[in-house]
Structures are given as structure tokens and as C-alpha cells.
């Protein structure tokens, strides 16, 4: 389990170096404050910040920091993301992610991106609740000498939709939605800062019709 966060850190340093040398990059800082269980949660009694008896909506407290490097104009990028927050039980949790992202729609002030990639989630073990908690085997158990008992889960693919609204030349309001159906959906909001938006213009190839094609169409 320990190799994935190290890989995230290494890739983050590589992207940071790329950002210094090429500058078509952006950083995000977002607050994470709400989890949604579409069908409720059987462990609702263990979730102190739930907004309803079945834990359809649960408050979280924490945030995400991300770094994004554009690899093809402003249409495709690679992003690393690190989160630290309280999970639905109020315990300390972390989330490490790397993914590729593509532009879905864009106007002068609005941008909608879609991202996908692997992620690792880790949290304080819910076994601390004793008989109130019964493990389903969904999370893996691990004992750390420094952190104690923790649970972790590696997701091969996590999806993300990100909406950005331009506030200034280098600053956007940014909202993210992760549709982790059927277990949990999460939302974050915050600020995106662009280090530079000097993207190279996309080449436009104008093809002039051949003489034979023009002569044929002139007879129609």
C-alpha cells in the first residue's frame, strides 16, 4: 500500500518541474464537505455528522490539493490529487489520485472537464467501534507502526467531473463531482489558479481542392 502515495509524490514533482519549464499548468485547492449515499448506509449509526437518519447526506471536513499539467493544448491534461479529510465516521482519512483529463465543453467563462484514473483511499480503521461495526471485506486491513490500524482500498478507476467558472485572468471558481455510484458520491469546491494560459494555437490545415475536382464540380 505504501508505494502508491510515493508514486503520487514522484509524479507530482515531475509535473511541478514540467510546470516550471512549460508553464501551461494549474493548481487547485478545494474544500471537501459533503458525501452522498444514494441508497443510504447501513452503518448510519456510526456517522456523527449525518444530515438524516439513513445517512443519505453526511458532512465531511477537509480538502484536496491538486496539480494539473496540460499535455495537448488546453484539451488534455494529467492531474495528481491529494486529499486529507474526515470520513463519514469522523475519523481521519486520505485520498491519493492520478488521472488523465479531457475537455468536454468550453466557452469564454465556462469549462467542463472529465477525468479518470486510479486512486487509493485510506482511513482510520472502523474496527475501533467494536461490536457496532462488522467488516464486509470491502476495505483491506493494515497495521501501521506510526498510524495504528487503518483500512485501505485501491480503485482501478475513479471518475471526476470538474466545472470551472472564470473569475479573473488566472483564477477560476472550481467545482468537482465524483459519481462513486452505488456506494458514495462526493462534491468539492474551491479555487483553480493558472500559472499560464499561453497555449499554442491548434494548427488548422486548409486543403485546396485539386484542379480535376474543381472542373468536375463546375459542370454540375
Amino acid at each position: 500500500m505504501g508505494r502508491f502515495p510515493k508514486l503520487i509524490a514522484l509524479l507530482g514533482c515531475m509535473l511541478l518541474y514540467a510546470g516550471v519549464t512549460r508553464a501551461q499548468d494549474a493548481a487547485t485547492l478545494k474544500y471537501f464537505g459533503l458525501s452522498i449515499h444514494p441508497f443510504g448506509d447501513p452503518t448510519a449509526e456510526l456517522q456523527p455528522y449525518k444530515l438524516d437518519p439513513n445517512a443519505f447526506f453526511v458532512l465531511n471536513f477537509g480538502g484536496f490539493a491538486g496539480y494539473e499539467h496540460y499535455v495537448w493544448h488546453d484539451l488534455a491534461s494529467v492531474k495528481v490529487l491529494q486529499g486529507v479529510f474526515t470520513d463519514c465516521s469522523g475519523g481521519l482519512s486520505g485520498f491519493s489520485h492520478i488521472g488523465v483529463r479531457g475537455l468536454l465543453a468550453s466557452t469564454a467563462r465556462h469549462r467542463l472537464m472529465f477525468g479518470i484514473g486510479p486512486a487509493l483511499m485510506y482511513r482510520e480503521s472502523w474496527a475501533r467501534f467494536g461490536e457496532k461495526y462488522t467488516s464486509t471485506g470491502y476495505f483491506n486491513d493494515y497495521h501501521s507502526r506510526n498510524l495504528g490500524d487503518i483500512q485501505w482500498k485501491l480503485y482501478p478507476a475513479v471518475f471526476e467531473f470538474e466545472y470551472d467558472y472564470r473569475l479573473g485572468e488566472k483564477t477560476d471558481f472550481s467545482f468537482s463531482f465524483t459519481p462513486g455510484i452505488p456506494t458514495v458520491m462526493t462534491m468539492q469546491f474551491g479555487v483553480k489558479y493558472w500559472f499560464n494560459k499561453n497555449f499554442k494555437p491548434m494548427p488548422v490545415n486548409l486543403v485546396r481542392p485539386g484542379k480535376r475536382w474543381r472542373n468536375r464540380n463546375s459542370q454540375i
Side-chain angles (χ1 to χ4, degrees):
M1 186 195 73
R3 295 181 179 179
F4 194 85
K6 293 179 181 178
L7 176 60
I8 291 290
L10 176 60
L11 291 173
C13 292
M14 292 172 63
L15 294 180
L16 179 61
Y17 174 77
V20 172
T21 56
R22 295 188 59 184
Q24 281 90 16
D25 294 11
T28 56
L29 188 62
K30 298 180 182 180
Y31 177 74
F32 172 43
L34 181 66
S35 294
I36 302 174
H37 302 112
F39 305 103
D41 196 304
T43 61
E45 64 173 326
L46 305 179
Q47 304 181 29
Y49 303 111
K50 59 181 180 292
L51 300 181
D52 59 89
N54 296 316
F56 286 105
F57 301 94
V58 182
L59 295 179
N60 304 96
F61 306 94
F64 286 81
Y67 196 90
E68 187 174 4
H69 175 61
Y70 283 79
V71 295
W72 190 55
H73 303 281
D74 64 340
L75 304 178
S77 66
V78 177
K79 183 177 182 178
V80 292
L81 189 67
Q82 179 61 51
V84 178
F85 49 90
T86 59
D87 67 4
C88 293
S89 74
L92 185 63
S93 299
F95 186 88
S96 302
H97 166 71
I98 181 170
V100 294
R101 311 173 83 240
L103 181 66
L104 294 180
S106 177
T107 66
R109 285 193 174 272
H110 307 272
R111 286 171 59 88
L112 180 62
M113 303 284 291
F114 172 75
I116 183 173
L120 177 67
M121 179 180 176
Y122 31 95
R123 68 185 191 182
E124 288 186 67
S125 176
W126 286 30
R128 68 184 188 275
F129 293 110
E131 295 182 355
K132 294 182 178 180
Y133 171 72
T134 301
S135 175
T136 62
Y138 182 76
F139 282 92
N140 300 286
D141 294 300
Y142 178 78
H143 179 77
S144 169
R145 288 182 297 179
N146 298 322
L147 301 177
D149 293 328
I150 63 175
Q151 293 176 310
W152 63 275
K153 179 72 175 181
L154 178 63
Y155 299 92
V158 171
F159 304 97
E160 178 194 27
F161 291 93
E162 181 181 270
Y163 165 75
D164 298 326
Y165 176 79
R166 181 180 177 183
L167 299 175
E169 184 64 27
K170 291 188 175 182
T171 307
D172 294 346
F173 168 77
S174 186
F175 174 82
S176 295
F177 172 67
T178 303
I181 299 174
T183 55
V184 63
M185 300 183 292
T186 63
M187 291 179 283
Q188 310 95 41
F189 65 91
V191 176
K192 172 180 283 189
Y193 178 80
W194 294 84
F195 294 99
N196 201 317
K197 285 188 176 182
N198 294 331
F199 294 100
K200 294 181 180 180
M202 294 188 64
V204 178
N205 297 321
L206 298 179
V207 180
R208 183 179 181 182
K211 182 177 180 180
R212 182 178 178 182
W213 186 90
R214 295 198 303 270
N215 291 338
R216 183 178 64 180
N217 282 271
S218 65
Q219 298 173 6
I220 298 177

